[in-house]
C-alpha cells in the first residue's frame, strides 16, 4: 500500500508526463447550433438539452441550451472521439458528432413522433452529410425493428444454452438486414457504417449479459436460482469491445450492465466473510479477475467503478489502489477525468463558493421551515429532499439548473434539503454542480422534523407546495426532469 507521501509523488509524475507525452487525444470543442421550428414559448419549452453518455467521466451529462425568441439555440461541449449524442426537446433523437465539429440542426418543435423527426430534420456545417445519412438509417431501423416483446418472451422461456443459440441466430439475422440496407445505400459513410456495426455488437452483448437478471425477473425466481456455468464462458468469449465502438453511446449502458449484472452478482457469491467486509476491494478484484483480457471493457468497467467510489467524496479507495488502477486503466480519456475528479474531491471548498447556501446553525426544524415559508411567501415552492450518498438524487441535478433557468421569471422557488449526510460531502457536491436554488443542510434532529413533516421515507423525495404553502403533490416520481412534473408546475402557475 503506498504511503500518502509516495501517492502524491506518483500523482505529480503522472500529471507532468501526461503534459509531455500524451498529446494524441486532446479534446476538441464541438459547437451545436440550431433552430426549433414552431417553437411555442407558452408551453415552457424554452430549453433544448443535448444529452451525452460520457464514458470518460462514467456519467450521462446534459447540456441545456436556452432557446431565444426566434427559436435558435447554441451548445458547446468538449469531446475526444466521435460518438452519437441525444438532442432532447418534445422527443429526443440522435446525431453524430466529431471533435471540432460545428454543426447546425433544424427540427420541428411540434413533432413528438421520432420517425417524423428523422424525415424532416435538416443539417448544415461540418458533419451535415454524415448526419443526413445517419437520420436516414435511424428511420429505417425504427421502421424495421423487431417487437421487443418477442425477445423478452425468449428470455423468459429459454434456458441459457437455448437462449445463446437464439441470440446467435438473431444476431446473424440482424447482420443480414444491415448488409441488405448497405447494399441498397452504397454511399453510406464509413462513420455511419461503424455506428451500425457497433450498435449491433453492443446491443447484442448487452442482451447476453442481462439474460440472468431478466430471466429471473420474468419467471419470478427466488434468490436460490443460479445461471448455468456456461454464462461466464459466453460473456468472456464475446467479440471484444474496442474504442471504435464508443461511437455508439449506449456502450455506456453496456458497461453499467457488465459491472452491476455480471461482476457484482458474481462477486457477492463468494463465501469469504473477510472479502465481503471490504466490498470496494471485492468488486475491484472481481473486475480484474472476471473481465475479458482483450478489448477495452476491463478498462471501461474499472473506470466506472473508480468514479463510483469518488462520487461518494471519499478518496481513500483511489489512494490505496492507485498502482492497481493505473496498471489496468491506460487510456488518457479515462485516466485524466479520474485525476480531475480526485482533485475536486480532495480540494477544500472555499466558503465563498457556498454563498447560495443558507447558514442555519443550531436552528430547530420548525424554525427552518418557518424561514423557508416566509422567504418564499406567495410563491410555489418545489422542495428536493436528498442525501449525498444517493446516486439517483445526484443524477437528477444535471437537469436542475436548466429547468430552474426556464422558470426564472415565474413565482416559484427551488429549495434543496440535504438530510442524513456528511456536511463536507454536501458542500463539495453543491460547489461542483454549481447548483442554484436555496440550500439547507440538516442535522439529524432537524432531519427528523422534516421527515415527519414532509413524509419522507426514502431518497430522493420531492414536495410541491402551492402559493398558499399547501402540499399540492409529493413523492419520489415528482422529478424536475419529468415532463409530467413540469406540466403540474405550469398548472399551478396558471391558477
Amino acid at each position: 500500500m503506498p504511503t500518502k507521501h509516495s501517492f502524491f509523488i506518483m500523482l505529480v509524475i503522472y500529471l507532468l508526463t501526461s503534459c509531455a507525452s500524451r498529446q494524441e487525444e486532446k479534446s476538441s470543442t464541438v459547437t451545436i447550433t440550431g433552430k426549433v421550428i414552431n417553437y411555442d414559448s407558452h408551453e415552457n419549452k424554452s430549453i433544448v438539452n443535448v444529452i451525452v453518455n460520457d464514458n470518460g467521466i462514467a456519467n450521462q451529462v446534459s447540456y441545456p441550451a436556452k432557446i431565444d425568441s426566434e427559436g435558435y439555440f447554441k451548445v458547446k461541449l468538449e469531446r475526444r472521439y466521435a460518438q452519437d449524442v441525444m438532442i432532447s426537446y418534445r422527443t429526443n433523437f440522435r446525431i453524430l458528432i466529431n471533435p471540432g465539429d460545428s454543426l447546425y440542426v433544424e427540427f420541428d418543435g411540434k413533432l413528438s413522433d421520432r420517425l417524423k423527426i428523422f424525415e424532416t430534420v435538416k443539417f448544415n456545417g461540418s458533419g451535415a452529410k454524415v448526419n443526413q445519412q445517419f437520420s436516414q438509417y435511424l428511420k429505417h431501423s425504427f421502421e424495421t425493428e423487431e417487437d421487443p416483446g418477442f425477445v423478452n418472451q425468449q428470455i423468459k422461456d429459454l434456458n441459457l444454452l437455448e437462449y445463446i443459440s437464439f441470440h446467435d441466430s438473431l444476431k446473424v439475422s440482424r447482420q443480414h438486414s444491415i448488409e441488405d440496407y448497405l447494399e441498397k445505400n452504397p454511399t453510406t459513410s464509413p462513420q455511419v457504417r461503424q455506428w451500425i456495426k457497433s450498435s449491433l455488437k453492443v446491443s447484442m452483448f448487452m442482451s447476453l449479459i442481462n439474460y440472468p437478471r431478466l430471466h429471473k425477473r420474468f419467471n419470478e425466481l427466488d434468490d436460490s436460482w443460479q445461471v448455468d456455468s456456461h454464462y461466464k464462458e459466453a460473456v468472456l468469449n464475446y467479440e471484444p469491445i474496442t474504442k471504435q465502438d464508443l461511437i455508439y453511446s449506449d456502450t455506456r449502458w453496456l458497461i453499467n450492465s457488465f459491472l452491476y449484472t455480471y461482476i457484482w452478482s458474481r462477486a457477492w457469491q463468494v463465501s469469504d466473510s473477510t472479502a465481503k467486509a471490504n466490498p470496494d476491494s471485492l468488486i475491484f478484484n472481481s473486475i480484474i479477475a472476471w473481465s475479458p483480457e482483450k478489448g477495452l471493457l476491463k478498462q471501461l468497467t474499472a473506470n466506472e467503478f473508480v468514479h463510483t467510489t469518488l462520487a461518494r467524496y471519499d478518496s481513500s479507495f483511489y489512494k490505496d489502489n492507485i498502482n492497481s488502477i493505473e496498471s489496468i486503466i491506460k487510456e488518457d480519456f479515462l485516466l485524466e477525468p479520474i485525476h480531475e475528479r480526485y482533485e475536486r474531491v480532495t480540494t477544500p471548498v472555499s466558503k465563498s463558493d457556498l454563498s447560495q447556501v443558507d447558514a442555519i446553525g443550531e436552528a430547530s426544524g420548525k424554525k427552518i421551515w418557518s424561514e423557508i415559508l416566509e422567504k418564499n411567501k406567495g410563491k410555489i415552492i418545489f422542495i428536493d429532499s436528498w442525501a449525498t450518498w444517493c446516486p439517483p438524487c445526484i443524477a437528477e441535478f444535471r437537469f436542475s439548473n436548466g429547468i430552474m433557468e426556464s422558470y426564472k421569471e415565474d413565482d416559484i422557488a427551488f429549495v434543496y434539503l440535504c438530510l442524513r449526510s456528511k456536511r463536507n460531502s454536501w458542500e463539495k457536491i453543491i460547489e461542483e454542480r454549481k447548483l442554484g436554488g436555496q440550500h439547507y443542510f440538516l442535522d439529524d434532529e432537524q432531519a427528523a422534523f422534516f421527515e415527519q413533516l414532509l413524509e419522507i421515507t426514502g431518497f430522493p423525495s420531492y414536495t410541491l407546495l402551492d402559493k398558499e404553502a399547501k402540499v399540492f403533490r409529493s413523492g419520489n416520481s415528482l422529478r424536475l426532469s419529468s415532463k409530467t412534473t413540469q406540466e403540474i408546475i405550469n398548472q399551478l402557475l396558471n391558477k
Side-chain angles (χ1 to χ4, degrees):
M1 182 182 298
T3 65
K4 184 175 182 181
H5 179 69
S6 65
F7 168 77
F8 283 110
I9 289 175
M10 285 185 285
L11 181 58
V12 169
I13 290 172
Y14 169 82
L15 293 173
L16 289 174
T17 56
S18 68
C19 293
S21 62
R22 301 185 178 188
Q23 300 294 325
E24 72 279 6
E25 281 191 320
K26 289 290 185 184
S27 73
S28 296
T29 302
V30 176
T31 304
I32 302 172
T33 57
K35 185 175 184 179
V36 184
I37 307 297
N38 295 319
Y39 157 61
D40 189 344
S41 60
H42 298 296
E43 293 188 5
N44 188 39
K45 294 292 181 183
S46 59
I47 297 288
V48 169
N49 278 296
V50 176
I51 301 171
V52 180
N53 283 333
D54 192 326
N55 288 299
I57 63 172
N59 204 353
Q60 186 179 80
V61 184
S62 181
Y63 296 84
K66 179 75 174 177
I67 303 171
D68 69 17
S69 59
E70 296 181 351
Y72 290 99
F73 64 92
K74 183 177 182 178
V75 171
K76 287 189 175 184
L77 55 146
E78 299 296 319
R79 291 286 82 206
R80 293 173 179 266
Y81 51 83
Q83 72 168 102
D84 67 75
V85 300
M86 199 81 74
I87 292 185
S88 178
Y89 187 63
R90 191 175 302 279
T91 186
N92 51 53
F93 60 97
R94 297 180 196 250
I95 62 171
L96 277 174
I97 59 172
N98 289 274
D101 269 356
S102 181
L103 180 66
Y104 176 85
V105 185
E106 186 174 290
F107 62 95
D108 190 336
K110 286 193 173 180
L111 294 178
S112 56
D113 184 337
R114 211 177 265 124
L115 284 174
K116 294 292 185 183
I117 292 280
F118 294 143
E119 290 173 357
T120 59
V121 64
K122 297 178 182 178
F123 300 96
N124 209 336
S126 53
K129 183 177 180 180
V130 166
N131 273 287
Q132 214 67 61
Q133 293 179 346
F134 187 47
S135 290
Q136 178 183 329
Y137 175 75
L138 291 176
K139 178 178 179 292
H140 164 79
S141 178
F142 272 90
E143 289 173 334
T144 57
E145 68 180 349
E146 307 103 343
D147 177 6
F150 169 71
V151 176
N152 285 341
Q153 191 64 46
Q154 306 311 304
I155 292 173
K156 178 182 180 181
D157 294 344
L158 303 179
N159 65 37
L160 176 68
L161 293 179
E162 291 170 337
Y163 180 73
I164 289 175
S165 178
F166 164 77
H167 174 276
D168 291 346
S169 65
L170 181 61
K171 186 177 180 181
V172 170
S173 173
R174 288 178 176 176
Q175 182 62 49
H176 287 160
S177 296
I178 288 170
E179 290 169 357
D180 289 343
Y181 175 84
L182 294 176
E183 186 176 343
K184 293 174 184 175
N185 297 274
T187 60
T188 302
S189 72
Q191 194 164 70
V192 174
R193 289 172 181 266
Q194 179 63 56
W195 187 94
I196 296 170
K197 176 184 175 182
S198 296
S199 66
L200 176 65
K201 181 202 292 189
V202 170
S203 61
M204 295 304 297
F205 195 8
M206 196 153 33
S207 174
L208 176 63
I209 289 171
N210 285 327
Y211 167 82
R213 177 178 62 83
L214 295 177
H215 181 80
K216 183 177 179 180
R217 190 180 84 192
F218 293 160
N219 289 287
E220 299 180 354
L221 301 173
D222 61 31
D223 289 339
S224 64
W225 180 83
Q226 297 293 333
V227 69
D228 188 284
S229 59
H230 289 91
Y231 174 63
K232 177 185 176 182
E233 179 184 353
V235 170
L236 291 180
N237 290 333
Y238 195 83
E239 186 179 359
I241 299 299
T242 69
K243 190 171 181 181
Q244 286 69 38
D245 295 319
L246 301 184
I247 192 171
Y248 179 55
S249 69
D250 284 6
T251 305
R252 170 92 186 84
W253 310 127
L254 167 66
I255 300 161
N256 191 273
S257 293
F258 185 78
L259 175 58
Y260 293 108
T261 298
Y262 174 74
I263 295 291
W264 199 281
S265 61
R266 291 182 63 83
W268 285 102
Q269 290 174 17
V270 302
S271 57
D272 188 340
S273 59
T274 303
K276 287 184 176 180
N278 191 345
D280 285 348
S281 293
L282 173 62
I283 298 300
F284 188 70
N285 290 332
S286 299
I287 292 170
I288 296 172
W290 297 331
S291 297
E293 291 300 326
K294 295 180 180 179
L296 200 61
L297 188 57
K298 179 183 284 191
Q299 290 192 57
L300 292 166
T301 308
N303 178 69
E304 174 93 13
F305 184 69
V306 172
H307 275 284
T308 299
T309 65
L310 290 172
R312 305 182 207 131
Y313 286 82
D314 180 354
S315 60
S316 58
F317 175 81
Y318 177 68
K319 287 191 290 187
D320 291 345
N321 295 276
I322 183 172
N323 288 331
S324 296
I325 290 168
E326 295 197 358
S327 70
I328 296 171
I329 303 175
K330 302 290 189 182
E331 294 284 342
D332 287 346
F333 80 96
L334 301 177
L335 276 174
E336 289 173 10
I338 288 176
H339 282 273
E340 290 167 4
R341 190 163 200 166
Y342 170 78
E343 287 296 316
R344 291 197 302 272
V345 168
T346 56
T347 300
V349 178
S350 167
K351 295 303 177 184
S352 63
D353 292 333
L354 300 172
S355 56
Q356 81 274 34
V357 177
D358 288 325
I360 55 180
E362 301 300 321
S364 67
K366 186 174 182 181
K367 185 175 180 180
I368 297 166
W369 181 240
S370 298
E371 178 187 322
I372 292 171
L373 297 184
E374 182 61 30
K375 186 174 183 178
N376 302 296
K377 191 173 183 179
K379 293 183 177 182
I380 295 166
I381 305 175
F382 182 88
I383 302 173
D384 182 334
S385 302
W386 65 287
T388 59
W389 42 264
C390 166
C393 301
I394 297 170
E396 188 68 13
F397 290 163
R398 66 181 181 266
F399 304 105
S400 299
N401 280 337
I403 294 170
M404 283 190 279
E405 174 69 17
S406 70
Y407 285 110
K408 68 179 181 180
E409 303 299 330
D410 297 304
D411 287 333
I412 180 169
F414 296 89
V415 175
Y416 292 83
L417 305 177
C418 184
L419 301 80
R420 309 299 183 185
S421 301
K422 295 180 179 179
R423 187 180 187 93
N424 182 57
S425 297
W426 167 68
E427 289 178 346
K428 286 182 177 293
I429 291 172
I430 298 302
E431 190 277 330
E432 179 181 326
R433 302 279 171 164
K434 307 297 182 189
L435 194 61
Q438 302 165 24
H439 295 269
Y440 296 84
F441 179 83
L442 307 178
D443 63 26
D444 287 345
E445 186 176 337
Q446 295 158 348
F449 171 84
F450 277 93
E451 285 167 347
Q452 182 176 7
L453 176 73
L454 302 178
E455 299 181 353
I456 299 169
T457 58
F459 301 108
S461 181
Y462 306 99
T463 309
L464 185 63
L465 307 183
D466 64 19
K467 293 181 180 181
E468 296 178 355
K470 296 178 181 177
V471 175
F472 188 75
R473 292 282 194 283
S474 64
N476 63 8
S477 63
L478 199 70
R479 302 176 183 225
L480 268 185
S481 60
S482 164
K483 291 181 180 179
T484 301
T485 300
Q486 294 169 40
E487 289 169 0
I488 292 170
I489 291 174
N490 295 338
Q491 178 186 342
L492 274 179
L493 287 170
N494 293 328
K495 275 191 173 183

